[in-house]
Amino acid sequence: MKAIVQDAYGPADVLEPRDVDRPSIGDEEVLVEVRAAAVDPGVWVLMTGRPYLMRLAGFGVRRPKVPVRGRDVAGVVAAVGARVTRFRPGQEVYGTCESGSYAEFAGARQSRLAPKPTGLTFEQAAAVPVSGMTALQAVRDVARVRPGQRVLVIGAAGGVGSFAVQIAKAYGAGVTGVCSAAKAGLVRSLGADDVVDYAREEIDRDGPRYDVVVDTAGNRPLSLLRRALTPRGTLVIVGGGHTAYRFTGGMGRTFRAPLLSMFVGQRLRPVMSRERSEHLEELTRLVESGAVTPAIDRVYPLADAPDAIRHLMGGHPGGKVVVTASGTA
Ligand SMILES: NC(=O)c1ccc[n+]([C@@H]2O[C@H](COP(=O)([O-])OP(=O)(O)OC[C@H]3O[C@@H](n4cnc5c(N)ncnc54)[C@H](OP(=O)(O)O)[C@@H]3O)[C@@H](O)[C@H]2O)c1
């Protein structure tokens, strides 16, 4: 099969199209004929091997153990392992995969797939899993957003932020999105009641107070973010900004927040996203009810996956960057 492969860690130039064997699947796994995949900052981490700490976490010290990139997947079941009970060949699915989705076929655990939401194209479905599951856990599980609360989403135009805005609205919150001026229209179209242009207003100095702040971007200091919170409010830290990755991945705030949280009235919590079919099923419910629609920034053919990654890591996508399998690799 055709795939986008790397032999060494490095920038997007290390990726090259190549013919490789189809992934073999275990008893609990599903072979998916890939129709679309997506890009998220985690793809860049696995491609570059940065922060270096990730190499010690089992991804390969000198080179990536899995040479094909891509985690989000949407496609059609081609084969199932002996103990797969939830899927059958021919079924349309979406989720995340371990073998790499920038390829014609991908292997995925059945626990990380769900039936593709009706009404979504494969490109739209591929945009959902990694970012949508992260946003769902940030808004529902960590922040426990309730109807009537005021929620501030920083990085509202990005992959995670574009889902967080819609999910917080779906759970009944009033939402303010923080983004660049060029993305204000997009963020309002996602349902934000208000938009703050971070280049003109310092959102968290002397402005309004929020019950929940979801920070997906910018690496603002904890002290500044806390000033945007009510005295009993919750700060959810999703990301540290694209420039902070090299050694520790901008994890400083992630480690400090729970410690500080023990001594202050506000809850300061990082999100460590988990990939589960239960999360996908809730996202399917939100999509099929009309509450959530994936925002797509650009679609690249498979052969141009390196450009898709470069575009994402430019730091200013408007929604999700998608890779479609219909391009030749
Ligand atoms: N904790 C977890 O489990 C988990 C899971 C997934 C992702 N993440 C992390 O979450 C972060 C966001 O991921 P993503 O997929 O949403 O990235 P993304 O799609 O690249 O979006 C980043 C967004 O940040 C905005 N932005 C850039 N500078 C900003 C600033 N100073 N203030 C406010 N917004 C700013 C950009 O929009 P503008 O054009 O408006 O600037 C862009 O839309 C990354 O650090 C990623 O590694 C963590």
Side-chain angles (χ1 to χ4, degrees):
M1 67 169 187
K2 304 215 178 301
I4 302 295
V5 181
Q6 64 180 120
D7 296 322
Y9 287 123
D13 306 341
V14 299
L15 298 175
E16 56 180 57
R18 206 184 290 165
D19 284 320
V20 298
D21 291 339
R22 286 185 189 183
S24 53
I25 54 167
D27 287 353
E28 296 276 357
E29 290 180 327
V30 174
L31 184 69
V32 179
E33 186 182 336
V34 179
R35 297 293 173 82
V39 189
D40 71 280
V43 168
W44 184 91
V45 167
L46 292 177
M47 180 184 79
T48 59
R50 294 179 180 182
Y52 296 124
L53 283 177
M54 61 72 77
R55 302 189 190 200
L56 303 176
F59 293 99
V61 174
R62 298 174 69 86
R63 63 180 64 85
K65 278 187 185 163
V66 177
V68 181
R69 292 281 63 78
R71 192 148 186 93
D72 290 294
V73 66
V76 179
V77 174
V80 296
R83 289 209 296 273
V84 170
T85 51
R86 299 175 53 234
F87 302 101
R88 52 183 160 62
Q91 204 174 349
E92 296 182 348
V93 293
Y94 79 136
T96 55
C97 66
E98 286 74 45
S99 69
S101 55
Y102 302 162
E104 290 179 306
F105 291 88
R109 291 186 217 166
Q110 65 167 336
S111 60
R112 294 189 176 172
L113 292 175
K116 180 172 82 65
T118 52
L120 287 194
T121 64
F122 286 108
E123 283 80 12
Q124 287 175 309
V128 175
V130 169
S131 299
M133 284 193 279
T134 304
L136 178 68
Q137 289 164 79
V139 170
R140 183 192 68 177
D141 302 341
V142 181
R144 302 176 206 142
V145 167
R146 298 188 302 279
Q149 286 192 313
R150 299 182 69 185
V151 176
L152 182 74
V153 179
I154 303 176
V160 177
S162 61
F163 284 103
V165 168
Q166 298 182 77
I167 293 169
K169 282 298 290 182
Y171 288 171
V175 178
T176 299
V178 179
C179 59
S180 58
K183 308 283 168 50
L186 167 68
V187 172
R188 279 195 194 280
S189 76
L190 297 171
D193 304 283
D194 214 350
V195 174
V196 172
D197 170 4
Y198 60 72
R200 294 187 52 193
E201 303 165 59
E202 183 45 75
I203 47 108
D204 26 21
R205 262 197 202 288
D206 298 308
R209 298 287 177 263
Y210 298 88
D211 302 298
V212 172
V213 174
V214 178
D215 183 21
T216 79
N219 217 7
R220 288 172 174 80
L222 289 177
S223 55
L224 201 58
L225 295 168
R226 286 184 56 213
R227 270 183 248 152
L229 275 182
T230 57
R232 312 293 293 176
T234 300
L235 168 65
V236 186
I237 298 172
V238 177
H242 289 186
T243 54
Y245 282 126
R246 184 164 299 207
F247 292 99
T248 61
M251 298 288 277
R253 298 181 316 166
T254 300
F255 293 126
R256 283 198 309 278
L259 290 176
L260 182 60
S261 196
M262 293 193 281
F263 303 101
V264 298
Q266 298 157 330
R267 290 173 70 233
L268 314 175
R269 296 279 187 276
V271 178
M272 293 297 165
S273 176
R274 287 161 183 249
E275 297 169 1
R276 297 209 174 115
S277 53
E278 177 266 315
H279 297 137
L280 289 171
E281 282 154 11
E282 173 63 358
L283 288 164
T284 296
R285 188 189 70 74
L286 290 165
V287 166
E288 291 182 347
S289 73
V292 169
T293 304
I296 308 280
D297 176 78
R298 287 189 198 173
V299 180
Y300 290 82
L302 178 59
D304 294 341
D307 286 338
I309 297 170
R310 288 185 191 101
H311 172 61
L312 179 88
M313 296 311 288
H316 300 282
K320 289 293 297 179
V321 179
V322 170
V323 173
T324 174
S326 55
T328 47

